[in-house]
Amino acid sequence: QRLVVKKIFNDNAFVSKYKICAMNSINFVRILGQMCYYIWAYLRINPSCNGCIDIAIPSGAFGNTLACCFAKKMGIPIRNVIPCTNKNDIIYRIFRNGDFSSEGKKDYYETLSPAMDIQIPYNIERYLWLTFDGNTDYVKRVMNIFDKERKYIFSDLERKRLSSLVTYSYKVENNQIRDTTIKFI
């Protein structure tokens, strides 16, 4: 899906002719808007937070987490950015052990949190760009290897860079999602 959408948006004639626009986090305007959540949240709780906040974010396509990371990079004192996944855990695996891999439909699961049922988080490219100082050659190399082999294993040095903004990740199972939903509804 990510590659199909990317191909469509790279076809300028098609986009112009049919006036194509995406409003999910494929569109960076949405990321910019989401950054405001984290700036606003910090300003609201700053007097009682000793200067730093931790933020856990449900993660699907990784756009909301990316927005939080941009806010952190801009100077908002966010101590821990914690993307949370369900059984579709590619983000969790990237930050836990450097495993950026997907076996397609074999490792896709329908869960009780369908907005997080993402196999390949298309905002990971932007996160790589952000954490590797805008090195587009690096991002392109990683993504080309991933697109060809459906797998890229980040080295220890790369993982250290990846953790400069995202401290760690968390994964939940359907029973935890169900129990938490029941508790708060």
Side-chain angles (χ1 to χ4, degrees), residues 84-106:
C84 304
T85 69
N86 58 22
K87 195 169 182 176
N88 297 291
D89 64 351
I90 190 166
I91 289 295
Y92 173 76
R93 289 183 286 112
I94 288 170
F95 291 103
R96 179 172 169 83
N97 58 20
D99 175 12
F100 180 31
S101 65
S102 175
E103 295 183 33
K105 290 181 181 180
K106 284 184 185 178

Side-chain angles (χ1 to χ4, degrees), residues 19-32:
K19 309 218 182 316
I20 302 293
C21 176
M23 287 314 295
N24 60 4
S25 62
I26 249 177
N27 186 331
F28 196 74
V29 171
R30 178 149 171 199
I31 304 294
L32 292 172

Side-chain angles (χ1 to χ4, degrees), residues 32-61:
L32 292 172
Q34 289 171 318
M35 283 174 27
C36 297
Y37 304 160
Y38 304 105
I39 296 167
W40 180 85
Y42 173 74
L43 293 173
R44 292 279 299 181
I45 64 174
N46 179 32
S48 61
C49 72
N50 297 325
C52 280
I53 58 176
D54 297 333
I55 300 178
I57 306 162
S59 186

Side-chain angles (χ1 to χ4, degrees), residues 2 59-62 65 83-102 107 118-128 131-132 138 142-143 146 150-171:
R2 177 183 63 87
S59 186
F62 202 63
T65 303
C84 304
T85 69
N86 58 22
K87 195 169 182 176
N88 297 291
D89 64 351
I90 190 166
I91 289 295
Y92 173 76
R93 289 183 286 112
I94 288 170
F95 291 103
R96 179 172 169 83
N97 58 20
D99 175 12
F100 180 31
S101 65
S102 175
D107 64 357
I118 302 290
Q119 285 181 287
I120 303 167
Y122 44 81
N123 282 292
I124 198 68
E125 292 176 68
R126 292 174 175 154
Y127 184 75
L128 294 173
T131 56
F132 286 86
Y138 170 79
V142 169
M143 295 310 296
F146 176 80
R150 305 298 292 167
K151 182 176 195 166
Y152 184 88
I153 302 299
F154 292 100
S155 70
D156 289 343
L157 185 59
E158 289 170 312
R159 288 176 59 207
K160 186 175 181 180
R161 293 285 292 271
L162 290 172
S163 67
S164 66
L165 294 172
V166 169
T167 317
Y168 55 93
S169 186
Y170 191 74
K171 175 182 170 181

